[in-house]
Amino acid sequence: MTPPAARGASRIRPDHPERLGTRALNRALLARQSLLERSAASPLAMIEQLVGLQAQAPNPPYLGLWARLREFALDDLTQAMRARRIVRATMMRGTLHLVSADDYRALRPVLQPVLQRLSLQSAHAKALRGVALGELRKAGIDALQAGALSATALGEALRARWPSHDTAELAKLVRSIELLVHVPPAGVWDSHQAATFAVAHDWLGAPVAEDADENAADAMLLRYLAAFGPASARDASAWSGLTGTRERLQRLRPRLRVFVDEAGTELFDLPDAPRPAPETAAPVRLLPEFDNVLLAHRDRSRIFDDGLRGAIFTRNGLVAATVLIDGFVAGVWKLQRERDTATVVVETFKRPRAADRVALQHEAEHCLRVAAPGYSRHEVRLSVVGA
């Protein structure tokens, strides 16, 4: 849906757009992500505010909500997933996200063309030789409508139709193209169960369209700006995986505020969205692996220095849990649990100020109370990388 700030906005087209520095963009991002001040929102409302949470692994979305909400317990999210108010599914960029049931129905049709294109360009598509895509999709849906299936079971169901094909690869195509959701307990806290898949309209009890109109795509882009702006057309494409964002932003331009960054790149934003002063204080935060703020822009200098990329992103596609000090990535951290002891291990890239060290200690202790309540011992270890 279109954010309130974008409805009926005045036509603002300055001849000389205001220039926003890196700190101004950082504070705008943190404000919209509820990382300047924790929010009183519910997990469902926060996930909608963020237009989904990255969910490649089960636990990071829980920690992402903990970092943003004043009151949060692990079971709050688990129960919302079991109640089908929040679902785990393939969404932006073809990656797993948690989204609200309403947002799945609103956003997935917009994403469907690019998800199908990405799937048919992948190595899995080689298995399609001699198989009509329409027949494969129908066979996959027929199998899944009999009940949720694991990836292996879906492949076996397809084998009866195409015994000479690599049905595991065919199943991957079905999973990436069809409108499916992951069925709990897959995706809930500490779950190690392989995903099982259900047809979205069966799971949600409501139809999900495969096609979206231009208004739906515009609304999705405006919501991106509300959560991550000010942002460029390339930023919006990097977040969504969609093409044509530059043309769409130009068409929406009369409803938007336009800025430029320090390199002169044009940035778009909702007129009334929060843009705190660059000197606004930013508290220490511990963000989980794959956090949205690290992945939602083409130019990520508003949240970390490019020289740190190797410490944050691994060659096998993992994204480290990160420490924010003064709003920028300043280290990495892990939650470790063994027997009766849970430990938060924090490694900063340089020695923090005394006040930041105290804040890190408090934030880590808070994390342990929420994420490891059943452990008799809680420990925090703070160190400097290479020291």
Side-chain angles (χ1 to χ4, degrees), residues 92-169:
M92 284 69 75
R93 305 181 305 284
T95 57
L96 287 174
H97 281 72
L98 292 188
V99 293
S100 71
D102 287 345
D103 274 353
Y104 183 89
R105 289 191 289 267
L107 303 178
R108 180 61 193 242
V110 179
L111 297 167
Q112 187 64 16
V114 73
L115 295 179
Q116 179 162 327
R117 175 174 53 81
L118 290 173
S119 299
L120 295 177
Q121 290 174 348
S122 71
H124 312 314
K126 294 179 180 178
L128 265 179
R129 290 172 184 165
V131 178
L133 180 61
E135 292 182 12
L136 172 64
R137 295 184 66 179
K138 183 178 185 304
I141 290 296
D142 287 346
L144 287 160
Q145 285 183 326
L149 295 175
S150 67
T152 300
L154 177 58
E156 288 303 311
L158 297 173
R159 190 178 302 281
R161 181 75 177 273
W162 294 283
S164 62
H165 283 70
D166 186 338
T167 51
E169 292 297 306

Side-chain angles (χ1 to χ4, degrees), residues 162-373:
W162 294 283
S164 62
H165 283 70
D166 186 338
T167 51
E169 292 297 306
L170 290 179
K172 288 179 182 177
L173 277 174
V174 172
R175 287 157 41 204
S176 57
I177 292 176
E178 289 303 327
L179 282 67
L180 307 179
V181 299
H182 290 208
V183 175
V188 305
W189 180 260
D190 272 349
S191 171
H192 301 291
Q193 178 173 314
T196 56
F197 303 87
V199 178
H201 71 253
D202 291 341
W203 182 254
L204 298 176
V208 184
E210 278 215 26
D211 301 309
D213 61 21
E214 288 299 303
N215 289 335
D218 287 353
M220 180 177 178
L221 184 53
L222 293 170
R223 289 188 60 195
Y224 166 73
L225 294 178
F228 297 101
S232 69
R234 295 181 75 187
D235 289 331
S237 294
W239 170 77
S240 65
L242 297 174
T243 58
T245 53
R246 185 175 302 279
E247 294 78 8
R248 191 175 302 281
L249 283 167
Q250 290 302 329
R251 183 161 49 75
L252 292 170
R253 190 185 190 98
R255 301 167 60 182
L256 302 174
R257 181 85 183 270
V258 181
F259 301 89
V260 292
D261 65 14
E262 292 176 338
T265 301
E266 201 167 49
L267 306 175
F268 298 86
D269 204 7
L270 304 186
D272 299 327
R275 288 180 291 273
E279 62 271 18
T280 301
V284 164
R285 288 289 184 259
L286 300 179
L287 301 182
E289 295 95 336
F290 303 104
D291 195 86
N292 295 28
V293 298
L294 302 178
L295 300 169
H297 301 87
R298 178 65 178 267
D299 179 358
R300 299 166 180 174
S301 60
R302 71 185 67 197
I303 194 69
F304 66 85
D305 185 277
D306 196 60
L308 300 176
R309 184 175 294 271
I312 300 169
F313 299 90
T314 67
R315 291 182 179 178
N316 57 355
L318 300 180
V319 182
T322 51
V323 177
L324 298 187
I325 296 178
D326 189 31
F328 294 88
V329 172
V332 294
W333 70 282
K334 291 181 180 179
L335 173 63
Q336 298 178 342
R337 292 168 291 171
E338 296 179 347
R339 298 180 183 175
D340 63 343
T341 302
T343 306
V344 167
V345 179
V346 176
E347 291 185 295
T348 54
F349 300 133
K350 61 182 182 181
R351 189 170 301 282
R353 299 180 308 149
D356 292 331
R357 187 176 178 86
V358 171
L360 277 171
Q361 179 78 27
H362 289 168
E363 193 75 356
E365 291 171 353
H366 184 199
C367 177
L368 287 166
R369 289 194 296 272
V370 172

